[in-house]
Amino acid sequence: MNSVLPVFASTSLQAPIGVFDSGVGGLSVVHEICQHLPDEQIIYLADTANVPYGAKTDEEIRALTAIAVEWLYRKGCKIVVVACNTASAFSLDFLRQKYGEYFPIIGLVPALKPAVLNTQTKKVAVLATPATFRGQLIKDVIEYFAKPQGVEVIAVTSLALVPIVEEGKQHTVETQQLLQQILSPIVSSGADYLVLGCTHYPFLKQSIGYVFADQMTIVDSGQAVARQVGRVLAHQQLNALPKMGSQPTVSCYFTGGYTIQTDTLLKQLLSPQVTWKIAQFTAY
Ligand code: DGL
């Protein structure tokens, strides 16, 4: 793809919000944006040809994310949300330097702040991909936020969970057993907060709750990101005009092709209030 973009930004109020993730995980963020900003249209891009990003190198993640952001720009988006902790960890500064003049770019970092502020045991756990822990964003939040509060952050990682959500297996007995294995040491350590540091993981909340009942409070970044999108749009005077009885609409694009399972998965993951369509398979 030619990386020189035409120098115009989409400043139309009715232009879509672009949301990107390595796979279907970013739909957990889309869900929150739809709740918070129901008049907006969303273009969702899932790089399913390359999921999972969690095991890729820093350079690979950066390059794939840049391609996705350019693609969303060409679709006429007025703002882009990198709804992937892993992609944000390596790409946010780079993307803002490269494309920040075209449109605002919002990224994600695990929601450590509310956990740090509310923990009673002074121990919180973060579940994220290995790549997210390698990145500087999470290191900064631990250094500048958790440490001064005397809160210990326990890092937990697994490469198995993203594929489970991609395959729609988040509620199976096998998944619950795996979660038990991964998370039991955290509960034993005395952590009272579990931060879901990957946008795929909110889809595992029900299974985590089933296995651990109320032993830990679970937090994720979805609502905070949706509020931030609203603030940035308002600041730039780019909010879509309110329409009577409007329903959020999401057009979903997949780089890795589309199967009947994709359809089933979207029905499982997106709330029934959202009007969505599989726009098309795209290989850029
Ligand atoms: N949803 C991505 C995240 O938030 C998943 C990363 C992956 O593809 O491994 O980190």
Side-chain angles (χ1 to χ4, degrees), residues 12 19 26 48 51 76 82 101 108 126 137 156-157 163 227 229 234:
S12 153
V19 182
T48 45
V51 68
V82 180
E101 67 180 296
L108 259 79
V126 181
L137 282 183
V156 189
T157 189
R227 285 195 299 269
V229 174

Side-chain angles (χ1 to χ4, degrees), residues 147-168:
K147 279 197 182 158
Q149 304 280 335
V151 173
E152 183 188 341
V153 177
I154 302 165
V156 189
T157 189
S158 164
L159 283 173
L161 297 175
V162 167
I164 282 175
V165 177
E166 290 293 317
E167 288 161 23

Side-chain angles (χ1 to χ4, degrees), residues 20-29 44 47 50-56 61 82-88 108 128-132 158-159 162-163 166 196-202:
F20 161 68
D21 182 34
S22 58
V24 293
L27 291 173
S28 63
V29 177
Y44 184 75
D47 190 9
N50 295 297
V51 68
Y53 280 14
K56 296 198 187 307
I61 295 169
V82 180
C84 175
N85 291 266
T86 310
S88 298
L108 259 79
T129 68
T132 295
S158 164
L159 283 173
V162 167
E166 290 293 317
L196 301 181
C198 168
T199 52
H200 281 73
Y201 300 165

